[in-house]
Structure formats: C-alpha cells, structure tokens
Amino acid sequence: MTASTSETLDLNVSGMTCAACQANVQRALRRQPGVAEASVNLMTGQARVVFDPSIVQPPQLVSAVETIGYGADVPAAEVSAVEGQGAPGAAPAQG
C-alpha cells in the first residue's frame, strides 16, 4: 500500500480497562484486510488506523472492534467556526 492510497482514521473505543484490552483491540484492527497500521491508546480510549479505503471502510473497522466485545465509533467531524460560516456567497444558515 502506498501513502497515496491510504487514509488515517481515529476511532473512539470504549470498554477497555487494561493493557490486555488495548492489545486485543489493536490486534483485531491490524488483522483486518487493508489495514497497514493500528495503534490504540488505553488512556484516551482512541485508536488510530491507517488503511486502504479500496479494501476496508470505517464501518468494517468499527465492527471488528465490536465483534471482540468493545464499543467503537467514528467521532463526528469537527467543524471550525470559519467552516461553519460557509463559503462566501452561500445562503445563510437557517436557525
């Protein structure tokens, strides 16, 4: 897999209580086809996964974590205040 075909995804992982849990989640992610790298941080409850989107998609990565008994979700995309205002000339937000 080349850098141009890979994407990086951060997942929220819940239910990890020890280093063995962290290692299990990391192993489950690394075993998924198309995953080049996976690292899991027990303290923050986050996993960072580098993967090939032509082979595996985020819902499959979430499912891999859930299958071994932990919770996982893709965090909502954060929108900066500038991005939230929209492009110049765009219709104002309804509110």
Side-chain angles (χ1 to χ4, degrees):
M1 174 174 10
T2 65
S4 63
T5 63
S6 67
E7 289 185 17
T8 300
L9 173 71
D10 290 326
L11 294 174
N12 293 324
V13 180
S14 60
M16 296 186 298
T17 58
C18 63
C21 296
Q22 175 264 334
N24 285 336
V25 171
Q26 190 165 294
R27 190 177 312 111
L29 289 168
R30 285 183 176 168
R31 287 182 175 165
Q32 296 306 300
V35 171
E37 179 63 34
S39 59
V40 179
N41 187 313
L42 174 63
M43 295 283 107
T44 64
Q46 294 221 319
R48 177 160 285 177
V49 186
V50 178
F51 66 99
D52 182 338
S54 69
I55 299 173
V56 65
Q57 290 293 308
Q60 294 166 288
L61 300 173
V62 168
S63 179
V65 174
E66 292 174 339
T67 297
I68 61 168
Y70 301 95
D73 63 73
V74 178
E78 293 184 22
V79 177
S80 73
V82 173
E83 291 171 333
Q85 292 177 1
Q94 298 295 319

